Amino acid sequence: MNKNVLATQKSDSIRFSVLDRDVQLQNAIDNKFDLIVIGGGVTGAGIALDASSRGLKVCLIEKNDFASGTSNKSTKLIHGGLRYLKQMEIGLVKESGSERALVHKLAPHLVVPEKMLLPLIEGGTYGKIMASIGLKVYDFLANVEGDDKRKMLSAQETLDKEPLLNKQGLTGGGYYAEYRTDDARLTIELLKKAASFGANSINYCEMTSFNYDPDGKIKSLQCLDHNTNKSFTVRARNYVSATGPWADLLREKDHSVNNKHLRLTKGVHLVFSRERFPLTQSVYFDVPDGRMIFAIPRGRATYVGTTDTNYNANLNRVVALQKDAEYLLTAVNHMFTGLHLTQKDIESNWAGLRPLIHEDGKNPSELSRKDEIFVSKSGLISIAGGKLTGYRKMAQRTLDVVIKTMSDKRKDRFSKPYTEKIPLTSSPLADTKAVKSYLNQITKKLNELGIKDPHCGWYLTSTYGKQADIIIHKMNSFLDTEIAYRLIRAELWYCIHYEMANGIADFFVRRTGRLYFDIYSVYKYRELVQKDFVEYLGWDKTRLQSENDYMDLLIKDATTYYQKEID
């Protein structure tokens, strides 16, 4: 790594706070960048970190909040994609498998080991022999070692792992390693780290049009700041679109759509309380129609997903349908007998889109999760497809294309990629053992402060890692409110000052995940949170009303099951 580059990164680092948003906007207007990234999901965030850590001057713009699209709507697993072995996607499985453990090392509090149970059912997708061979190949491709290697279980051993399972037709099980994460939190940490290398990332900043030079090359982007409703121009030498489901819309604006295009599929997840669905073990199970579904315990909740259906409706408002809920409820009640779950037991849901590359003759479940890069005559580089697990490699492949456009003299200014060595948080925890030790420390500290909720220590540790120390220390600033309210206020203060939280939904949905995994806390703390937002950001009545209208809509969509898609 070039020492001069490191020195530049440190001096140019940008505080990732919404209170500095005016400075970031002015930086975007005043500078010409090496790279502008359009799209603030995990792919765009990964590209911003890779590029800025190599020494490129980077600006990232996102029309909504960071991680507000696909990167907050996945199954929240950093996994190898066992089902892609069946489709002979060997390269994809190998890359995903090796990336799992690497990303875990970069953020061990956020990407956590999750043993997965694969029940083997008579007439199911996987027979005993094929499951044994498949899981062994899976481990081999991912270089899995030690206790994480797959184990084949008898029917009784499988039931011992998860007593809720349906015994009928159960012939055994496979037990193998995966990793669980919070996709939105991962995206935010990537952007925070990119900011420490000088990347200028702005949410609620929409690219409205391309501006071209006489040769038809993109010379700048016209942007709209949704906070102020002001238009401005940003300039760069290279432009990357990492916009997920919106990739083809940008290619249409650039007049560069060809026979390679996206095919969008929708996935729905349902959330239950742990009391109502007391799952002790993550399970990957068969559905009679041939699909596979995950059931995963997470803190105080258990969630189930996902569906996989073609989607052609509103990209900006994707909702769960009545038939989606019925499909997942039927699947869960078939696999976990005795639960008798109904729609009334569902606390919340999320529905999101997968931007897959279209292949003629294939149904949604058969489409590849490979990513592809398209380069237009105007210079727009679009990356589409892919999956959460592969964000780092996708960033490298995209930057390889960007670097190729440069002269040899310019190329020499930038380092080789090294994101595999960059911890994703400040004061990173070393490994799983350190995470457990920190969790015990923080739980003890919370108990001493009077917070007895058994999930609170786990929540703070898994959400913020050691950064939770800042939040707990900040609680001392709110001695005028009761202890539980001090914590939520300190958490909001942190998200505004360190994580670019720009609105109520940013906090309750993307920064904390409360809308999905603890919706009752949204009802409890919403009024207090909005008061603090007004205090910090000086909202007028119009802005506050707009924020509340949007939050009302998100709550409605998370708790409603519609008859048809939103146009």
Side-chain angles (χ1 to χ4, degrees):
M1 179 66 187
N2 186 312
K3 291 182 180 179
N4 292 329
V5 172
L6 269 177
T8 300
Q9 290 161 353
K10 290 178 181 177
S11 64
D12 287 350
S13 63
I14 294 173
R15 199 165 69 119
F16 199 65
S17 167
V18 71
L19 299 176
D20 290 340
R21 195 168 178 280
D22 288 346
V23 175
Q24 293 162 333
L25 283 167
Q26 198 59 50
N27 281 341
I29 294 167
D30 290 345
N31 289 282
K32 183 172 184 178
F33 296 89
D34 294 307
L35 175 65
I36 291 178
V37 182
I38 309 166
V42 72
T43 306
I47 293 168
L49 175 56
D50 194 330
S52 58
S53 64
R54 294 197 203 189
L56 280 75
K57 184 182 286 188
V58 178
C59 180
L60 179 146
I61 55 174
E62 162 59 46
K63 70 173 184 175
N64 295 310
D65 185 28
F66 306 120
S68 56
T70 297
S71 297
N72 188 37
K73 306 292 174 57
S74 73
T75 306
K76 305 183 188 298
L77 291 173
I78 297 287
H79 66 115
L82 179 61
R83 75 183 178 97
Y84 303 117
L85 268 185
K86 192 176 177 184
Q87 299 172 8
M88 297 305 291
E89 296 268 17
I90 303 300
L92 180 62
V93 174
K94 181 175 176 59
E95 179 176 292
S96 297
S98 59
E99 283 295 297
R100 297 178 309 174
L102 197 156
V103 180
H104 164 63
K105 289 179 182 177
L106 300 180
H109 75 283
L110 185 56
V111 180
V112 298
E114 185 82 15
K115 284 296 181 73
M116 195 69 64
L117 181 64
L118 175 69
L120 303 177
I121 311 295
E122 289 179 1
T125 301
Y126 295 96
K128 275 189 175 182
I129 295 175
M130 286 306 297
S132 179
I133 294 171
L135 289 173
K136 193 165 187 176
V137 171
Y138 193 60
D139 282 354
F140 171 75
L141 292 172
N143 297 313
V144 176
E145 298 177 346
D147 291 340
D148 279 344
K149 283 188 175 181
R150 73 95 170 94
K151 295 179 178 69
M152 299 309 296
L153 309 176
S154 67
Q156 187 56 53
E157 288 172 328
T158 303
L159 287 169
D160 290 342
K161 293 288 185 188
E162 184 46 71
L164 291 176
L165 287 171
N166 187 349
K167 301 175 184 178
Q168 186 176 355
L170 184 68
T171 62
Y175 197 55
Y176 64 104
E178 293 286 19
Y179 292 85
R180 177 172 47 79
T181 193
D182 181 316
D183 45 8
R185 288 296 318 171
L186 179 61
T187 303
I188 296 298
E189 295 295 358
L190 286 166
L191 288 166
K192 286 161 68 178
K193 184 58 67 172
S196 75
F197 284 98
N200 196 77
S201 300
I202 312 169
N203 50 359
Y204 297 97
C205 176
E206 183 173 2
M207 193 287 293
T208 55
S209 62
F210 296 104
N211 299 317
Y212 300 92
D213 67 17
D215 296 324
K217 301 292 184 181
I218 300 172
K219 67 175 181 179
S220 64
L221 305 180
Q222 204 64 35
C223 298
L224 177 66
D225 173 23
H226 286 291
N227 275 14
T228 62
N229 208 33
K230 291 181 179 178
S231 181
F232 61 95
T233 301
V234 291
R235 301 167 297 136
R237 296 178 179 86
N238 293 276
Y239 301 87
V240 166
S241 166
T243 50
W246 291 267
D248 280 354
L249 293 181
L250 262 74
R251 293 171 74 206
E252 286 175 6
K253 283 187 176 184
D254 185 51
H255 310 292
S256 57
V257 176
N258 54 24
N259 60 333
K260 280 278 191 177
H261 57 89
L262 295 184
R263 181 169 167 190
L264 304 180
T265 69
K266 187 180 79 168
V268 171
H269 295 77
L270 308 180
V271 181
F272 305 86
S273 72
R274 199 75 169 271
E275 288 77 17
R276 188 63 186 89
F277 190 171
L279 194 68
T280 57
Q281 165 69 59
S282 289
V283 182
Y284 185 40
F285 63 95
D286 273 283
V287 179
D289 66 5
R291 292 202 69 253
M292 301 287 290
I293 285 177
F294 290 100
I296 301 172
R298 184 187 187 276
R300 61 168 297 283
T302 296
Y303 67 97
V304 175
T306 176
T307 58
D308 203 356
T309 53
N310 287 317
Y311 189 82
N312 297 295
N314 192 331
L315 299 186
N316 298 309
R317 190 177 170 204
V318 186
V319 298
L321 302 185
Q322 181 69 35
K323 63 182 180 182
D324 296 325
E326 291 171 356
Y327 175 85
L328 290 172
L329 284 169
T330 299
V332 170
N333 286 324
H334 177 76
M335 180 51 64
F336 301 95
T337 53
L339 287 178
H340 307 298
L341 294 169
T342 69
Q343 197 165 303
K344 291 180 180 179
D345 296 310
I346 305 171
E347 289 192 347
S348 61
N349 75 72
W350 70 86
L353 301 178
R354 303 177 195 87
L356 307 178
I357 308 300
H358 176 77
E359 296 178 65
D360 289 335
K362 289 193 175 183
N363 65 44
S365 296
E366 295 173 328
L367 290 173
S368 172
R369 296 304 300 271
K370 286 182 181 177
D371 55 276
E372 289 200 34
I373 296 173
F374 311 108
V375 182
S376 78
K377 293 178 181 179
S378 70
L380 179 66
I381 299 167
S382 301
I383 181 161
K387 55 203 291 284
L388 177 66
T389 307
Y391 81 86
R392 205 183 62 82
K393 287 291 189 180
M394 291 167 67
Q396 285 187 11
R397 286 191 282 272
T398 305
L399 262 293
D400 286 345
V401 176
V402 171
I403 297 292
K404 281 180 182 178
T405 68
M406 299 178 180
S407 66
D408 290 340
K409 187 175 180 180
R410 286 192 61 77
K411 288 177 187 176
D412 291 342
R413 292 176 50 206
F414 307 121
S415 72
K416 298 292 184 183
Y418 69 108
T419 51
E420 75 279 3
K421 298 177 182 177
I422 302 175
L424 295 187
T425 63
S426 57
S427 304
L429 293 161
D431 50 30
T432 299
K433 185 177 179 181
V435 173
K436 289 179 179 177
S437 176
Y438 181 71
L439 170 58
N440 291 334
Q441 292 174 30
I442 205 171
T443 300
K444 182 180 178 182
K445 187 179 289 187
L446 289 168
N447 283 332
E448 290 171 352
L449 290 170
I451 298 177
K452 307 296 184 182
D453 182 346
H455 294 298
C456 192
W458 170 86
Y459 163 75
L460 286 174
T461 302
S462 63
T463 303
Y464 302 102
K466 210 165 185 307
Q467 299 166 125
D469 285 345
I470 302 171
I471 295 171
I472 292 175
H473 178 74
K474 185 63 182 177
M475 288 171 62
N476 294 326
S477 300
F478 303 107
L479 297 178
D480 57 326
T481 51
E482 63 179 88
I483 189 68
Y485 291 92
R486 287 179 217 164
L487 183 57
I488 196 77
R489 293 185 72 187
E491 195 178 355
L492 174 63
W493 173 89
Y494 178 83
C495 291
I496 286 174
H497 285 78
Y498 290 85
E499 299 192 339
M500 284 288 283
N502 187 71
I504 296 172
D506 300 354
F507 178 70
F508 280 128
V509 185
R510 269 83 58 180
R511 304 302 180 278
T512 68
R514 289 176 182 271
L515 178 66
Y516 303 137
F517 295 107
D518 192 5
I519 194 168
Y520 299 111
S521 73
V522 178
Y523 303 140
K524 181 178 181 180
Y525 297 125
R526 180 175 173 180
E527 185 175 347
L528 183 65
V529 164
Q530 71 185 35
K531 283 182 179 178
D532 276 1
F533 260 118
V534 170
E535 180 70 24
Y536 290 125
L537 303 184
W539 290 347
D540 58 20
K541 289 183 179 180
T542 301
R543 175 68 187 271
L544 182 59
Q545 185 63 52
S546 174
E547 289 287 331
N548 276 311
D549 287 347
Y550 182 47
M551 195 67 218
D552 287 342
L553 182 65
L554 292 181
I555 291 171
K556 178 183 178 182
D557 287 351
T559 55
T560 303
Y561 300 91
Y562 294 87
Q563 295 302 315
K564 62 178 184 177
E565 306 288 7
I566 307 296
D567 293 328

